Amino acid sequence: MERRRLFQVGAAGLAAGALMPETPAGAVPARTSAERFRPPAVPLAVRSPYLSTWLAADNLPGSWPTFWTGRVTAMTGLAVIDGAPVLFLGAPASPAPYPFPSMRQTSLTVTATTSEFVLEQGGVELTVSFLSPVTPGDLRRQSQPLSYLSVTARSIDGARHRVAVYVDVSGEWASGDAGRPITWEQREHGGVVSLSFGQSEPRVLGETGDSAEWGTVVLSSPARPGLTWQIGPDGEVRAHAGALLNTVDPQKPRPINDRWPVFAYNMDLGTVGGSRTEPFVLSIGHVREPVVSYLGERLRPLWTSYWPGWPEMVAAFHADFTAAVARCARLDAKIERDATRAGGAKYAALCALAFRQAYAATDLAVKDGEPWAFLKEISSNGNMQTVDVTYPAMPVFLYADPQYLGLLLAPLLDYVEKRGYPHEFAPHDLGTHYPNADGHLSGTGEEDMPVEESANMLIMAAAYLARIPAAERRAYAARHCPTFQRWADYLVEHALDPDLQNQTDDFTGFIAHSVNLALKGIVGLAAMSRIAGYAGRATTYLATARQYIAEWERMATDPSGRHLKLAYDQDGTWSLKYNGYADAVLGLGLVPQAVAAKEAAWYLTRAATDGVPLDPRHSYTKADWEMWTAAWLKDHDEIRDLLIDGLHRFATTTGQRVPMTDWYDVVTDRQQGFQARPVVGGFYALLTV
């Protein structure tokens, strides 16, 4: 028990976020090929709301991997070099009274889909790659809730060395409560050996500390000569690193913290020379069935449409490994190339960090034979399918996979059109807490944001429609036009001068006469004009939007003439008008260029070390809105680059070692709140305009 108490204290210290403004001596910053970069946390297995494990440190050996909340999800990696075990992953203290000696990390490369560590010891170089294969446009592969870990070795001293590689994961992956009993088994199917474990008394569709309390954790590897495996207490199993016993601990079920069962593989790589060995490949997954519920109906995960069970799915995942590596390398290169062209090397590094995080907040399900995507509002309040969380994440889907955005919109439109949603404005969410879309059909209990969500839905729909084939576009627009028109008619009455309403930055409180919210509503009206046009219908919404934008500019301009106000009735105030991005991404041309130029110049005067505050009431900002603003003002190089540089500096220097936050203080270099949220998909805004 002492071993786990020691490292849980360490994890709590990381979560508390003691300031660490510079990369520690001896640590190796991550890099892309374009930019050296120290992520606040390195994505390891990041694939879904419940398969989300990160490294809250710079070096792979010496710290436990953790769930996005900071809870330990232990993994241990040992390289046995010429008979001597050395640590390359995790922070075990057993079986010896002192930790294993650690390999020296020489590099870390973070791309959109991969985190690759290179380490060396005893004349051997180890390359350890964590690949979470996001596959835009390929629902079959994207539906697999699995991630790869691969290890290769080579000699770097001219001599030949005997090398084995050992990896284990702990039962902590199965629950947010280490006192919960788990059970396990070993099986082989399709040439793949799997060690699986889960709670013996699962709480289906329940959570503890944001972790799923049902489902099965699956650790797998292709069967091949030299592969051994073992399930048992951590110290006993690790004592056999180099050649495991192929045994299953019979004392099950038992609590996770009762002798800490681990699930381990060992690959004997034989004698290693100067060429890289064939990779030792593992997959880690969290398989849940049902995956979510929708208004009381339990929905199957989409992968069940392609495979009869998880053993078949896992076997297909391993058969696809070589192709997945090549496919993801092409995607990584495209993202880096496009992002570098749009905003430079620092911007490319930010996009690489955001990609897995954005997609991993989603699950794919099947409803009446059709694919749907569900999104969790991670870390802020756990809502299901929050419209004003999907909205800031939208750019990554517009850039990489517009159809995925359509899958996220589908449950919301079904809810409004077929389930009796009672309001004239768009919903805020589908349920108070993921994974249960219980809805708010009584008309109460929802965090209403009438102008906010109505405009968000119209803007997302118009942006989605602009990026799909013409035949699909017309049919979709015609089918949903009555719903969209209802929301647009609400905006006609309320968008120009919003009354006291909540809005997406709800941590700042309700606001009346909001200039930025009014801009969003006006753009929403013009978006409705686009949607109606796709359906072959003529409307007056664009004319209304143009009339409103002129009145908006007049009412919003501060008496100084230098900038726009925070609210119409608050002279001397200002705010980031990030909703200008919606005008730009739809190509509407509503906001006059002179207004954009004035705002760009003003933001330069308001900048702090790590960016521009959201407004003058606080010194904090939102990272997603900064990148939306940079995209809106992309032709104003100085402010665009300042916003990118500030966010990059925060990400690489903040002491809060958590999956990327979107809410931080631009003066103190500290996380204000939120982490691991999908809104970092907003970093891709520059790639969509």
Side-chain angles (χ1 to χ4, degrees), residues 627-672:
M627 293 302 96
W628 278 46
T629 304
W632 172 43
L633 302 175
K634 67 182 179 64
D635 295 328
H636 301 271
D637 297 357
E638 192 172 359
I639 187 60
R640 179 201 65 200
D641 293 346
L642 183 148
L643 289 166
I644 292 169
D645 289 350
L647 180 56
H648 183 273
R649 185 186 187 283
F650 167 77
T652 57
T653 62
T654 181
Q656 282 69 59
R657 305 307 298 270
V658 301
M660 185 66 186
T661 181
D662 54 285
W663 186 21
Y664 71 96
D665 194 296
V666 298
V667 175
T668 65
D669 194 43
R670 292 186 64 88
Q671 173 193 19
Q672 185 73 26

Side-chain angles (χ1 to χ4, degrees), residues 420-445:
Y421 182 69
H423 295 303
E424 59 183 333
F425 47 79
H428 172 268
D429 61 74
L430 291 184
T432 301
H433 205 90
Y434 204 87
N436 297 296
D438 295 332
H440 308 278
L441 296 179
S442 67
T444 61

Side-chain angles (χ1 to χ4, degrees), residues 72-86:
V72 170
T73 44
M75 302 181 77
T76 296
L78 299 168
V80 183
I81 302 173
D82 298 326
V86 290

Side-chain angles (χ1 to χ4, degrees), residues 591-608:
V591 181
Q593 292 184 7
V595 170
K598 187 163 34 181
E599 287 292 284
W602 179 255
Y603 299 154
L604 288 172
T605 71
R606 303 294 97 187

Side-chain angles (χ1 to χ4, degrees), residues 166-459:
Y166 166 99
V167 174
D168 74 43
V169 304
S170 81
E172 290 155 299
W173 287 66
S175 175
D177 177 1
R180 295 282 293 172
I182 61 171
T183 189
W184 49 79
E185 66 174 356
Q186 181 270 345
R187 68 169 73 186
E188 185 170 343
H189 181 88
V192 173
V193 179
S194 294
L195 309 178
S196 61
F197 57 100
Q199 295 186 38
S200 56
E201 300 175 358
R203 292 191 296 111
V204 178
L205 298 170
E207 285 188 345
T208 296
D210 283 287
S211 296
E213 292 299 293
W214 84 107
T216 303
V217 180
V218 181
L219 185 70
S220 305
S221 186
R224 55 186 270 205
L227 181 73
T228 53
W229 55 269
Q230 190 171 344
I231 301 173
D234 56 357
E236 292 181 18
V237 174
R238 290 177 195 140
H240 294 287
L244 297 176
L245 303 181
N246 294 343
T247 57
V248 176
D249 188 334
Q251 297 183 31
K252 60 176 181 174
R254 70 171 188 257
I256 294 167
N257 57 13
D258 181 356
R259 288 164 289 156
W260 303 100
V262 298
F263 306 83
Y265 289 93
N266 189 93
M267 185 66 219
D268 185 351
L269 298 177
T271 301
V272 173
S275 299
R276 281 192 181 189
T277 60
E278 178 185 349
F280 168 37
V281 181
L282 295 164
S283 67
I284 182 82
H286 196 283
V287 181
R288 306 173 348 260
E289 191 173 349
V291 65
V292 297
S293 71
Y294 176 68
L295 300 179
E297 179 184 357
R298 293 183 171 187
L299 301 184
R300 293 181 294 112
L302 183 60
W303 65 261
T304 61
S305 299
Y306 307 107
W307 296 279
W310 67 253
E312 291 81 4
M313 176 186 64
V314 169
F317 190 70
H318 278 280
D320 193 45
F321 172 72
T322 301
V325 170
R327 192 168 55 245
C328 288
R330 290 192 298 270
L331 176 62
D332 293 345
K334 173 178 167 52
I335 290 172
E336 181 171 338
R337 180 179 65 249
D338 292 349
T340 302
R341 288 172 179 169
K346 292 180 179 178
Y347 178 63
L350 292 168
C351 287
L353 180 63
F355 198 64
R356 279 170 279 178
Q357 180 171 321
Y359 270 89
T362 68
D363 275 313
L364 284 166
V366 59
K367 174 72 168 73
D368 299 331
E370 296 296 324
W372 279 6
F374 288 92
L375 178 144
K376 181 176 181 178
E377 184 177 341
I378 287 177
S379 87
S380 35
N381 65 9
N383 281 176
M384 183 106 170
Q385 214 75 358
T386 310
V387 173
D388 63 293
V389 172
T390 307
Y391 180 69
M394 169 180 66
V396 72
F397 305 122
L398 293 183
Y399 168 76
D401 191 359
Q403 291 286 1
Y404 208 83
L405 178 60
L407 300 183
L408 289 165
L409 296 178
L412 290 158
L413 292 170
D414 179 273
Y415 175 67
V416 170
E417 295 171 350
K418 298 180 182 178
R419 313 298 168 177
Y421 182 69
H423 295 303
E424 59 183 333
F425 47 79
H428 172 268
D429 61 74
L430 291 184
T432 301
H433 205 90
Y434 204 87
N436 297 296
D438 295 332
H440 308 278
L441 296 179
S442 67
T444 61
E446 187 174 9
E447 189 182 4
D448 291 338
M449 297 180 179
V451 169
E452 173 76 41
E453 309 299 27
S454 298
N456 288 345
M457 287 296 293
L458 292 171
I459 292 164

